[in-house]
Amino acid sequence: MTIIIWGTSAIFTRNLSTNIGAYTSAALVNLIGGIVVLVQQGVKKEGLQEWRSVPRRYWPICGGLFIIYTASSYVSMSMVESDEAVVTLVLIRFLWPLFTLIFTIPILKAKASPWLIGGVSVSMAGIIVAKLGEAVLDLPGFLHNVLSGDDMAGYLMGFVVAVSWGIYTNLTKKYVGMKRVDGVGIYMVITAAVLGAIAFFTDEPRRFTADLTGQILYAGVVVGSLANVMWNLAIKKGNMLLVVLASNFLPIISTVMTSFMLGVGITVPILAGSLLVVIGTLWSKTCFRHFDASGNTD
């Protein structure tokens, strides 16, 4: 259920960014989601009770990364023009499982074989295939597309999304470990304050309608809060192997759902590109010795 919810998140981010504004919508979604998370933590009396037990640098560093991740998530969606470009951007954003693996090397001191380069290359090839389709073999056309494409700035911002979340995940593991501390609720409220301040000085459409208000509530309560609660429950009480395996297919699930909801045809290149991203991530995982979902290696 969590992965299906996350799979729908991109289309709502796109709608809110273009119709309300990237900073305004991100601020509102995170304010609602943050309040829900903090209330849930207060009721259950867990998540912040041991906040003194983690290194002080956890709060500013991981909090800063969370703000960067959130801002780039919404801004990137407002930077691409066509619905087809949104599908490609979704694939790029969901490279975060791959970047999470890569950053275990410098942050958690994990050891990987040289074959990791192959896994990363396959995932990157998936992005190119999904974007260019049959024109992928046209090298001059590819270079022209990369260097002059109107959506390239949005794609680069999409990589910021994936990289920042990969770093955030590993640093959270490094600083928090198994301690019963989760600062995501505080991070969401602070993110709302920072992006809300930016929105105040930014000219954004802010076309509020009943439908868009419902999407804000869905993004804040369901995507931002409920999905995270269910994910933590799955990690703690579910079949870990199945949970992690399912998460690797998030690029395909999200791409298909986004294409369907946008009315964009699900083409062979899009499916092939999504599958290559998944294969590259799974291959990359095999390059680590006894890598598990918690980020531990031996």
Side-chain angles (χ1 to χ4, degrees), residues 51 120 140-141 166-167 175 190 209 222-223 233 278 284 292-293 298:
W51 67 272
V120 174
I167 298 174
Y175 293 147
I190 294 175
T209 64
V222 180
V223 178
L233 184 65
V278 171
S284 298
D292 65 29
D298 64 17

Side-chain angles (χ1 to χ4, degrees), residues 1-2 8 24 28 32 39 88 92 100-101 117 119 121 124 128 131 164 173 179 184 188 198 205 208 219 221 264 298:
M1 289 178 64
T2 300
T8 66
T24 301
L28 291 172
I32 295 170
V39 169
T88 303
I92 295 173
T100 299
L101 282 172
I117 298 174
S121 299
M124 296 304 173
I128 297 173
K131 172 61 180 173
S164 60
K173 171 63 182 176
K179 298 181 180 70
V184 69
M188 292 180 78
I198 295 174
F208 289 96
V221 177
V264 177
D298 64 17

Side-chain angles (χ1 to χ4, degrees), residues 118-179:
V120 174
S121 299
V122 170
S123 288
M124 296 304 173
I127 302 296
I128 297 173
V129 169
K131 172 61 180 173
L132 299 181
E134 296 177 357
V136 69
L137 299 178
D138 179 12
L139 184 58
F142 169 69
L143 293 175
H144 179 268
N145 188 292
V146 169
L147 296 175
S148 62
D150 295 333
D151 298 314
M152 278 310 300
Y155 294 157
L156 290 174
M157 190 65 74
F159 277 105
V160 173
V161 175
V163 170
S164 60
W165 192 254
I167 298 174
Y168 169 85
T169 301
N170 280 287
L171 286 179
T172 298
K173 171 63 182 176
K174 179 179 179 179
Y175 293 147
V176 177
M178 299 302 293
K179 298 181 180 70

Side-chain angles (χ1 to χ4, degrees), residues 30 59-73 164-165 168 172 182-192 195 224 228:
N30 277 271
W59 300 100
I61 293 177
C62 289
L65 286 167
F66 191 91
I67 293 173
I68 292 171
Y69 161 77
T70 303
S72 55
S73 292
S164 60
W165 192 254
Y168 169 85
T172 298
D182 187 357
V184 69
I186 292 177
Y187 292 158
M188 292 180 78
V189 172
I190 294 175
T191 297
L195 299 186
N228 284 324

Side-chain angles (χ1 to χ4, degrees), residues 48-109:
L48 295 176
Q49 276 62 35
E50 301 178 10
W51 67 272
R52 295 178 185 272
S53 65
V54 298
R56 290 183 180 179
R57 58 184 176 274
Y58 161 70
W59 300 100
I61 293 177
C62 289
L65 286 167
F66 191 91
I67 293 173
I68 292 171
Y69 161 77
T70 303
S72 55
S73 292
Y74 281 82
V75 171
S76 62
M77 279 295 184
S78 66
M79 294 176 73
V80 294
E81 298 181 0
S82 66
D83 289 341
E84 290 77 7
V86 171
V87 176
T88 303
L89 178 58
V90 168
L91 260 185
I92 295 173
R93 283 157 50 103
F94 283 108
L95 284 172
W96 63 260
L98 179 65
F99 282 111
T100 299
L101 282 172
I102 293 172
F103 285 113
T104 60
I105 298 174
I107 297 175
L108 299 179
K109 310 303 179 185

Side-chain angles (χ1 to χ4, degrees), residues 9 12-17 20-37 66 70 73-74 184-185 187-189 191-193 195-196 208 212-225 228:
S9 63
F12 292 106
T13 304
R14 167 71 169 180
N15 289 341
L16 295 174
S17 296
I20 294 179
Y23 296 108
T24 301
S25 57
L28 291 172
V29 167
N30 277 271
L31 179 61
I32 295 170
I35 291 173
V36 172
V37 171
F66 191 91
T70 303
S73 292
Y74 281 82
V184 69
Y187 292 158
M188 292 180 78
V189 172
T191 297
L195 299 186
F208 289 96
L212 290 172
T213 301
Q215 292 187 36
I216 289 175
L217 291 172
Y218 175 85
V221 177
V222 180
V223 178
S225 303
N228 284 324

